[in-house]
Amino acid sequence: MNNMISGTLLAVGYPVLYWILGAVLPDKYQARSIPVMCMTGFLLYYSLLQIIGLPMKLIQQPLSHLTIVWACVMLILVGYAMLRRRKVLADSIQNLFGSRDKMLLLAVLAVMTLAVALLLGYNTDTISDYDAAYYIGLPSASAYSNTLELVNALTGKVQKAPDHFYLMNTDTLHSAMIYQALGIHPLIERKWSFTIAMVILFEMVLYQCGKEFFRKEYVRTGVFCVFANLTMFFSYGIANVSHYFAYRTYEGKSIVSYFYMSLIFCFGLALYKKEKGKWPWAGLFLCCVSGISFCNTALFVVPAMAAFTLFPYVLSDGFFRRKWNILLRYVIMLLPGLFWIVLHKVL
């Protein structure tokens, strides 16, 4: 019972932490919008995890060292946001309120989000027991052994090095750190806390997409969000996105399929709709940095999705109109993906 209470607090704490981290980004990359800040904060969180966690995993540092470093980094960033970025946080809260239609829409979406989050959080059928053993067993073994994935989760044997196939993925290190620091078992953290947090974030992405499509037509935005959820739940197939969202919400392949693809679409849509500010570019860049932390599928899918989504925009607004800064941003956005591909070949 204590684990469930702690896990529920963690489920709420994740989006709040992502929102605060979203305020850390410079002003020109800000939207001062809670959904956008949660989205970019999530991407910044896992970008830093990849940048910090992967080298420590490669040189086989103890898990406790990573936990301490990660806690210090988070405390510094949260402290900076609380002290120096309070106006950004305050503006995002203020921008949440608006007309009667907007408040009604947010209330409806909040109820729907809570319902979907609890439904998926209470779902105990993940269909793939082997994958569940990996996502639950590996961080548990790391926490018990105080290593960065040097103990095989299925056999319990100590390995000379982490499994090469999962070498570049760091998401499971995060679950191990949470277990070591907060005592919340990966079974609760993954299947309850992180599942609920991901549902909340996904609904924010849908809301932001609806805003970009329909601007201040809140009724249409609400209809879009409702039908997007209905599509996910009533277009089920064993190998499609709805399956991953409903049954394996917390898994790396799932997050890349339903979350990262929606994020990239959302950021691309903002650019096509001539959104002010550079936050869509920042989000796309962080997508290419952080995607590989979840699974190897992101090595190719994330940069390819970003590249093809923006190609018409870059061709029309960048090349034909000779706005070379757009071409430069496009190249910079794709550089992290190229780096991870090269590193994957080298390792």
Side-chain angles (χ1 to χ4, degrees):
M1 186 61 183
N2 289 336
N3 236 333
M4 283 296 292
I5 295 173
S6 301
T8 302
L9 293 175
L10 184 62
V12 176
Y14 275 148
V16 173
L17 178 59
Y18 301 149
W19 168 59
I20 293 172
L21 290 179
V24 172
L25 295 176
D27 284 335
K28 63 181 178 180
Y29 300 122
Q30 281 294 339
R32 282 175 166 75
S33 161
I34 288 179
V36 174
M37 290 168 66
C38 287
M39 289 150 54
T40 54
F42 171 90
L43 296 172
L44 177 61
Y45 187 88
Y46 278 94
S47 294
L48 291 173
L49 179 62
Q50 185 69 9
I51 292 169
I52 296 170
L54 181 59
M56 296 186 75
K57 185 177 181 180
L58 293 175
I59 61 177
Q60 299 183 15
Q61 289 292 296
L63 174 64
S64 56
H65 289 185
L66 177 59
T67 303
I68 292 170
V69 171
W70 187 246
C72 291
V73 170
M74 288 298 106
L75 286 173
I76 291 171
L77 291 177
V78 171
Y80 171 76
M82 293 289 105
L83 292 174
R84 303 299 297 272
R85 308 293 287 171
R86 286 176 295 181
K87 188 176 187 308
V88 175
L89 294 170
D91 286 347
S92 68
I93 296 174
Q94 185 177 358
N95 291 336
L96 191 65
F97 299 96
S99 65
R100 177 184 173 185
D101 287 345
K102 182 178 181 180
M103 299 308 298
L104 181 60
L105 167 64
L106 293 177
V108 171
L109 292 183
V111 172
M112 183 179 69
T113 299
L114 180 61
V116 175
L118 291 177
L119 175 65
L120 300 189
Y122 276 112
N123 176 35
T124 58
D125 184 6
T126 59
I127 296 182
S128 175
D129 292 335
Y130 180 84
D131 282 354
Y134 165 75
Y135 284 104
I136 307 301
L138 191 58
S140 300
S142 297
Y144 284 124
S145 62
N146 195 33
T147 65
L148 298 182
E149 301 181 359
L150 292 180
V151 172
N152 187 293
L154 300 178
T155 65
K157 293 182 178 179
V158 179
Q159 304 173 151
K160 293 183 179 180
D163 192 327
H164 185 268
F165 185 79
Y166 303 110
L167 186 60
M168 294 187 65
N169 310 144
T170 54
D171 177 43
T172 43
L173 299 180
H174 181 262
S175 297
M177 286 192 294
I178 293 295
Y179 191 18
Q180 188 174 72
L182 303 180
I184 301 175
H185 195 279
L187 182 65
I188 298 295
E189 191 271 334
R190 288 285 97 179
K191 293 196 172 188
W192 179 253
S193 306
F194 196 62
T195 293
I196 291 175
M198 288 310 303
V199 170
I200 294 172
L201 287 175
F202 180 64
E203 298 297 340
M204 287 183 178
V205 175
L206 294 182
Y207 168 72
Q208 190 63 34
C209 287
K211 278 184 64 179
E212 296 298 336
F213 271 126
F214 305 110
R215 297 301 180 183
K216 293 186 178 181
E217 298 182 63
Y218 298 114
V219 174
R220 293 188 178 186
T221 299
V223 172
F224 168 83
C225 293
V226 170
F227 273 89
N229 277 272
L230 291 174
T231 301
M232 293 291 284
F233 282 106
F234 292 95
S235 62
Y236 178 79
I238 193 66
N240 69 13
V241 175
S242 61
H243 162 77
Y244 282 112
F245 177 67
Y247 286 93
R248 303 159 77 170
T249 319
Y250 63 90
E251 293 185 9
K253 293 186 294 294
S254 306
I255 293 169
V256 171
S257 66
Y258 73 80
F259 188 66
Y260 270 82
M261 298 300 98
S262 302
L263 266 181
I264 293 170
F265 176 78
C266 181
F267 293 138
L269 182 61
L271 289 173
Y272 280 104
K273 291 286 188 175
K274 311 300 182 185
E275 185 71 40
K276 295 179 180 179
K278 299 178 182 177
W279 60 264
W281 286 109
L284 287 164
F285 177 80
L286 292 173
C287 279
C288 291
V289 175
S290 62
I292 187 60
S293 65
F294 290 100
C295 72
N296 293 334
T297 304
L299 194 65
F300 305 102
V301 171
V302 170
M305 173 78 173
F308 289 122
T309 298
L310 289 193
F311 185 74
Y313 168 75
V314 172
L315 192 63
S316 62
D317 284 31
F319 184 76
F320 290 141
R321 297 184 182 179
R322 298 185 180 182
K323 294 182 180 179
W324 308 122
N325 60 326
I326 293 179
L327 289 172
L328 179 61
R329 292 171 193 164
Y330 185 68
V331 172
I332 292 174
M333 174 196 73
L334 295 175
L335 284 178
L338 178 62
F339 174 77
W340 294 132
I341 292 173
V342 172
L343 185 62
H344 183 265
K345 293 296 182 182
V346 171
L347 295 177

